[in-house]
Amino acid sequence: MFKKILLTIILAMSVVGCELLSPSYWDRVNQRDREEGRRCFKRANGEYYCKDRYGNIVY
Protein backbone atom coordinates (compact mmCIF):
# COMPACT_ATOMS: atom_id res chain seq x y z
CA MET A 1 0.00 0.00 0.00
CA PHE A 2 2.82 2.38 0.90
CA LYS A 3 4.55 1.72 -2.44
CA LYS A 4 1.41 2.64 -4.39
CA ILE A 5 1.03 5.92 -2.51
CA LEU A 6 4.70 6.74 -2.96
CA LEU A 7 4.60 5.97 -6.69
CA THR A 8 1.45 8.06 -7.10
CA ILE A 9 3.10 11.02 -5.36
CA ILE A 10 6.24 10.69 -7.49
CA LEU A 11 4.17 10.51 -10.68
CA ALA A 12 2.11 13.56 -9.70
CA MET A 13 5.23 15.58 -8.87
CA SER A 14 6.89 14.68 -12.16
CA VAL A 15 3.81 15.66 -14.19
CA VAL A 16 3.46 18.99 -12.37
CA GLY A 17 7.20 19.65 -12.57
CA CYS A 18 7.33 18.99 -16.30
CA GLU A 19 4.37 21.29 -16.89
CA LEU A 20 5.98 24.12 -14.92
CA LEU A 21 9.20 23.80 -16.94
CA SER A 22 7.36 23.60 -20.27
CA PRO A 23 8.17 26.54 -22.59
CA SER A 24 4.78 26.28 -24.28
CA TYR A 25 3.03 26.79 -20.93
CA TRP A 26 5.00 29.95 -20.21
CA ASP A 27 4.39 31.19 -23.76
CA ARG A 28 0.65 30.91 -23.10
CA VAL A 29 1.01 32.73 -19.76
CA ASN A 30 3.03 35.54 -21.33
CA GLN A 31 0.58 35.83 -24.23
CA ARG A 32 -2.34 36.14 -21.80
CA ASP A 33 -0.51 38.83 -19.82
CA ARG A 34 0.21 40.79 -23.00
CA GLU A 35 -3.43 40.56 -24.05
CA GLU A 36 -4.60 41.81 -20.66
CA GLY A 37 -2.00 44.60 -20.65
CA ARG A 38 -0.09 43.39 -17.58
CA ARG A 39 3.53 44.30 -16.92
CA CYS A 40 5.42 42.67 -14.05
CA PHE A 41 8.24 44.14 -12.00
CA LYS A 42 10.60 43.03 -9.23
CA ARG A 43 11.02 45.19 -6.15
CA ALA A 44 14.38 45.68 -4.45
CA ASN A 45 13.35 43.32 -1.62
CA GLY A 46 12.69 40.47 -4.10
CA GLU A 47 8.89 40.68 -4.31
CA TYR A 48 7.20 40.64 -7.70
CA TYR A 49 4.12 42.63 -8.61
CA CYS A 50 2.21 43.33 -11.81
CA LYS A 51 0.37 46.38 -13.09
CA ASP A 52 -2.51 46.27 -15.51
CA ARG A 53 -2.95 48.70 -18.39
CA TYR A 54 -4.64 51.23 -16.08
CA GLY A 55 -1.80 51.28 -13.52
CA ASN A 56 -3.58 49.18 -10.88
CA ILE A 57 -1.45 46.65 -9.04
CA VAL A 58 -2.69 43.09 -9.59
CA TYR A 59 -1.35 39.85 -8.11
Side-chain angles (χ1 to χ4, degrees):
M1 183 68 177
F2 178 73
K3 288 182 183 180
K4 288 182 183 179
I5 294 172
L6 182 62
L7 288 174
T8 305
I9 291 171
I10 291 171
L11 177 64
M13 290 177 63
S14 66
V15 169
V16 171
C18 290
E19 181 65 25
L20 288 177
L21 297 176
S22 170
S24 62
Y25 171 75
W26 290 109
D27 289 341
R28 289 191 312 264
V29 169
N30 291 333
Q31 177 66 26
R32 188 188 69 213
D33 287 345
R34 280 192 301 271
E35 289 173 355
E36 294 178 359
R38 287 185 186 163
R39 292 183 303 152
C40 296
F41 306 95
K42 183 177 179 182
R43 292 187 172 131
N45 62 2
E47 293 178 355
Y48 287 90
Y49 68 98
C50 297
K51 289 187 176 184
D52 62 9
R53 70 181 86 178
Y54 305 111
N56 301 320
I57 294 178
V58 293
Y59 294 96

